[in-house]
Amino acid sequence: MRKPVNPFLGVLCLALLTLFSNQVSAQMEVLEKDHEISRKARKGYLGQIVVDDANQQFDLIYVLKSTNSKVIVEHYFYDANLNLIKKEKEEDEIEKVKKKYKWFKFKGETYETKSLYVRTNLKGEMVFREKIIRYKWSWLRGGYAKRVIMGNKVKPKDESTGNRYMFRGGFYENDPEGYINVVAGVKDGRDMIKSYLNYQIIQADGNVNITKKVDINFETAKAPILSTPLEDEDPETLDDKPRDWVVVFAPFGGAGFGKVEGDPKTYTFCRFTSTGDLVEKYDFTVPVAGWRLLGAFQKDGEVYLYGPGIDKNKNSNEIFKGPLIENTSNDDPDEKGGLLGGFKGIGGEATQVTQEQIDARLDEMKYSNFQVGKLSKGKLEFIDAPSIDDINKKNIKPEGQKREVEFDGKRFITTGIGILSNHHVFVHGQDFKLDRIGGNKGSRLYKGLFMLQFGADGKFIGNYGVELDRKKGLGMFSSGLTPDQFPANSDVYESPDGKKIYWMITMCKAIDKDTDIDTDYNFFAGTRTTTVSTTYTPLYTIQYGVIDAATKKASDFKVLGEDENRKYYLMPDKNVLRLGKYLIYLSETLKGDKVLLSRFDLTK
């Protein structure tokens, strides 16, 4: 139930957005204009969108195919009415461009760094393995493709005592800088319980030098259940902008722990810089002991934790009957498939389990609550854990939708979290079921969406459930690939006066099929070889509606782009901007020769 990767294409052909008070009373004003893009810009990429609120303008900056010495950039300037004001072209030395545009992360056509990957062996001990990361630049995508090559393995020991480190998960990788931070339990001889009381945050570089250690000690046994970079609203990748690192520890216990077994509801929050320095460490009490934490989100200096829970007065490990976070940083699919779904591992070991495999197990559990907490300035500000029954007592369906989308606490994912200016919290998620009879048996089929709203005081307000309209796209191909195999993403925006909340859902509406036929003729052998390759690409659209902030009523949800003849698709990465009272989406044709600008007036 992790947050999925953002879709790279989306159908976007705008229609009218219905607003309401108690009944439908007005329509949202939409303006659309398309513009041509140069042939050279099509072979490059959209590097940045620059918004100028003061002058009510915005600039699309395309980076054209360039060289290692000089970079060519094209600017397209538009006003708030989507008119092209001017077009400019500049060419400059690459170092000057990097200084001028901080978002331009070009480091050469190719380069490589050396780092480490961490895993556990059969004894649960931490093992480092060297890795080389090779990067290759693409002028079409505006980013680097990564290739990881594994090297020798090393078993680190504490220099002073010779004790081995135990590893149960928890790491932070910075491949471009060539280091890894790891949560390591310090084993005292044969006494493994000590490794649940004493931890060290170890930073190691690509040469397996331990460059930093930070002690984390507990009076009762605890183990990490969440290890994640801190999420925020900035779309930059972790490689381009390292975030702080959050690790949450939960009580660990059971047979043999005796006096070191603590209160199952006393969790510990730790926040580190991206380089492994401890910023915060404090305990907080949770209503539901079995908390499956799915993420940590930061806004305005406050951290929000969220995820489903199982309300039992036991330790986290006893409730979930297994780990909640992976014990390897290796995501090489060639090494998957070992014992109990773990990795085959190095030397035939089968102890490594990925987050994907853990989530597949946890997704099948039945959850009793959904828990959301806010932490700020070294303390817990609030936490609420409404039960599944309490959530469904406050279900809200859009006007025109026949049935409510109930949240049953089983087989669902969360797709993100949003915080509005009034500090209300919105957790987005989606139900799924397993394909039993279709072309891809065992795959997930994503269904209705839910959005849980919590107030500024943390109290649960309501569950907005929406059915997705994509029946036209189901069963399109004999391969069995259908739009409901792709999860949807949600964003919420608010009107300037705070009275309306706009729920924009990016969903897969159709699948594009592209067949490439390549013929190779061997003159000497007199043979002809024909290779046929087919690529299926999900195409995305927007399903949208409006929530009245005061009455909590939701409008009827509509789908943008009902006209299938209009071939504009949401741009791959940068596709939306906020200009004053306007929300503007960016779409393009499949060839990339035209861009469609679509403006929503959030005050209407």
Side-chain angles (χ1 to χ4, degrees):
M1 298 194 306
R2 300 275 163 174
K3 186 176 178 182
V5 177
N6 281 337
F8 54 92
L9 284 177
V11 180
L12 183 60
C13 303
L14 295 180
L16 295 176
L17 177 61
T18 304
L19 294 182
F20 62 95
S21 52
N22 291 333
Q23 302 291 328
V24 174
S25 59
Q27 290 182 328
M28 187 176 184
E29 182 179 297
V30 179
L31 176 67
E32 291 183 295
K33 293 183 181 180
D34 60 7
H35 300 273
E36 291 189 357
I37 300 298
S38 74
R39 185 183 298 272
K40 290 184 177 180
R42 298 176 218 168
K43 297 180 180 180
Y45 67 95
L46 179 60
Q48 188 65 292
I49 302 171
V50 179
V51 177
D52 183 356
D53 276 318
N55 294 309
Q56 285 290 280
Q57 297 178 3
F58 61 98
D59 174 16
L60 304 186
I61 305 178
Y62 284 84
V63 180
L64 280 54
K65 188 174 182 180
S66 304
T67 67
N68 277 328
S69 58
K70 289 190 176 182
V71 178
I72 305 171
V73 174
E74 281 189 356
H75 295 256
Y76 294 80
F77 295 89
Y78 302 93
D79 62 22
N81 293 320
L82 310 184
N83 298 311
L84 179 64
I85 302 172
K86 61 180 178 178
K87 173 183 170 183
E88 292 181 350
K89 185 176 181 180
E90 62 175 315
E91 182 176 353
D92 214 333
E93 295 178 358
I94 197 163
E95 291 303 320
K96 292 183 178 179
V97 174
K98 289 167 68 175
K99 289 181 180 179
K100 183 176 181 180
Y101 301 120
K102 300 301 181 184
W103 47 264
F104 183 58
K105 304 297 183 179
F106 183 76
K107 300 178 181 179
E109 294 287 348
T110 61
Y111 75 97
E112 70 177 38
T113 61
K114 190 176 181 181
S115 186
L116 297 173
Y117 121 70
V118 65
R119 66 179 181 90
T120 184
N121 63 16
L122 287 172
K123 297 179 182 179
E125 297 169 341
M126 183 177 70
V127 177
F128 280 145
R129 192 179 179 194
E130 297 171 312
K131 68 177 181 180
I132 296 174
I133 308 99
R134 292 179 177 171
Y135 297 86
K136 185 175 182 180
W137 179 261
S138 169
W139 288 106
L140 182 62
R141 294 188 301 105
Y144 285 97
K146 295 169 62 173
R147 181 189 174 196
V148 176
I149 301 173
M150 294 299 179
N152 298 324
K153 63 178 181 179
V154 178
K155 295 181 180 180
K157 294 183 178 180
D158 186 282
E159 297 90 335
S160 59
T161 65
N163 292 338
R164 294 191 183 277
Y165 292 110
M166 306 302 293
F167 182 59
R168 303 175 188 91
F171 59 87
Y172 182 107
E173 294 179 292
N174 190 323
D175 285 343
E177 297 298 326
Y179 68 82
I180 186 171
N181 301 322
V182 181
V183 179
V186 182
K187 181 182 175 184
D188 186 2
R190 294 184 177 181
D191 187 358
M192 282 213 334
I193 291 181
K194 290 290 183 68
S195 66
Y196 288 94
L197 302 174
N198 304 310
Y199 290 87
Q200 285 184 337
I201 307 302
I202 296 176
Q203 183 181 103
D205 64 18
N207 295 317
V208 204
N209 296 314
I210 295 178
T211 56
K212 185 179 297 184
K213 289 184 179 180
V214 177
D215 291 322
I216 302 292
N217 301 314
F218 301 107
E219 294 182 358
T220 58
K222 291 190 176 182
I225 62 165
L226 176 70
S227 170
T228 181
L230 202 50
E231 302 172 53
D232 56 33
E233 295 176 333
D234 193 326
E236 280 197 89
T237 66
L238 193 64
D239 280 353
D240 292 334
K241 181 186 174 183
R243 272 74 162 179
D244 280 1
W245 174 34
V246 166
V247 181
V248 177
F249 293 84
F252 194 95
F257 280 80
K259 295 181 180 180
V260 298
E261 190 170 13
D263 179 5
K265 296 185 177 181
T266 302
Y267 281 50
T268 301
F269 173 83
C270 294
R271 179 172 177 172
F272 305 88
T273 65
S274 61
T275 55
D277 293 316
L278 182 63
V279 177
E280 291 181 307
K281 175 181 178 289
Y282 54 90
D283 292 342
F284 65 99
T285 302
V286 300
V288 175
W291 195 6
R292 183 187 173 190
L293 279 168
L294 298 178
F297 182 87
Q298 175 185 240
K299 185 170 183 178
D300 299 330
E302 298 170 330
V303 175
Y304 297 83
L305 303 175
Y306 60 95
I310 298 176
D311 192 9
K312 293 181 179 180
N313 192 30
K314 295 182 179 181
N315 293 298
S316 178
N317 62 295
E318 296 174 296
I319 294 173
F320 292 108
K321 303 184 184 305
L324 273 71
I325 58 175
E326 58 193 342
N327 62 0
T328 176
S329 61
N330 186 13
D331 58 0
D332 184 357
D334 292 335
E335 292 191 359
K336 292 182 180 179
L339 180 67
L340 299 177
F343 276 98
K344 294 177 183 176
I346 311 304
E349 296 177 359
T351 59
Q352 303 172 77
V353 183
T354 66
Q355 194 64 52
E356 178 182 329
Q357 293 161 340
I358 291 173
D359 288 342
R361 170 176 59 86
L362 296 177
D363 285 346
E364 293 302 308
M365 299 186 76
K366 173 72 174 180
Y367 295 91
S368 60
N369 302 74
F370 199 96
Q371 197 159 236
V372 174
K374 181 172 80 169
L375 301 96
S376 178
K377 298 178 181 179
K379 66 177 182 178
L380 177 69
E381 291 287 339
F382 69 67
I383 192 166
D384 193 22
S387 68
I388 301 302
D389 290 340
D390 289 338
I391 288 174
N392 286 317
K393 290 176 183 177
K394 297 183 178 181
N395 285 340
I396 303 167
K397 68 179 182 66
E399 294 179 358
Q401 185 171 295
K402 294 181 179 179
R403 295 173 296 180
E404 294 179 345
V405 176
E406 288 196 354
F407 179 50
D408 61 6
K410 188 175 181 180
R411 286 183 178 164
F412 66 93
I413 62 170
T414 58
T415 55
I417 185 172
I419 315 296
L420 297 187
S421 61
N422 61 0
H423 303 288
H424 281 223
V425 181
F426 292 84
V427 179
H428 307 286
Q430 189 170 14
D431 292 322
F432 69 86
K433 68 177 183 179
L434 298 180
D435 187 0
R436 302 296 186 188
I437 59 174
N440 293 295
K441 288 186 179 180
S443 64
R444 292 181 174 183
L445 303 179
Y446 292 95
K447 299 301 179 183
L449 270 74
F450 63 87
M451 183 168 69
L452 306 179
Q453 182 182 5
F454 295 80
D457 58 356
K459 299 300 181 183
F460 176 67
I461 292 176
N463 172 37
Y464 302 90
V466 176
E467 294 178 338
L468 296 185
D469 181 9
R470 50 185 174 188
K471 295 178 182 178
K472 295 179 182 178
L474 298 180
M476 293 181 62
F477 304 114
S478 59
S479 69
L481 191 63
T482 55
D484 56 353
Q485 290 179 264
F486 298 87
N489 287 322
S490 296
D491 292 290
V492 287
Y493 300 90
E494 57 187 322
S495 60
D497 59 11
K499 293 182 178 181
K500 298 183 180 67
I501 301 166
Y502 305 94
W503 186 1
M504 313 299 285
I505 302 167
T506 304
M507 68 172 185
C508 181
K509 183 62 181 275
I511 310 293
D512 181 47
K513 179 180 179 181
D514 182 48
T515 302
D516 183 51
I517 302 176
D518 184 32
T519 301
D520 182 34
Y521 182 72
N522 189 320
F523 178 79
F524 296 100
T527 59
R528 184 190 303 271
T529 303
T530 301
T531 303
V532 179
S533 58
T534 302
T535 303
Y536 296 98
T537 303
L539 304 177
Y540 290 85
T541 187
I542 299 292
Q543 184 163 320
Y544 60 92
V546 188
I547 298 169
D548 186 293
T551 66
K552 313 305 176 193
K553 291 186 176 181
S555 73
D556 188 16
F557 272 62
K558 303 293 183 181
V559 177
L560 301 177
E562 293 287 19
D563 183 0
E564 298 293 340
N565 293 320
R566 302 179 67 187
K567 302 298 182 180
Y568 286 100
Y569 304 93
L570 198 64
M571 297 184 74
D573 299 311
K574 302 172 180 65
N575 47 47
V576 64
L577 64 101
R578 184 73 180 266
L579 180 65
K581 65 179 183 178
Y582 300 122
L583 184 66
I584 301 173
Y585 283 94
L586 280 66
S587 311
E588 63 181 354
T589 60
L590 285 176
K591 294 181 179 179
D593 58 337
K594 285 187 177 182
V595 59
L596 176 68
L597 305 176
S598 307
R599 189 191 73 181
F600 286 86
D601 188 338
L602 298 182
T603 65
K604 298 291 182 68

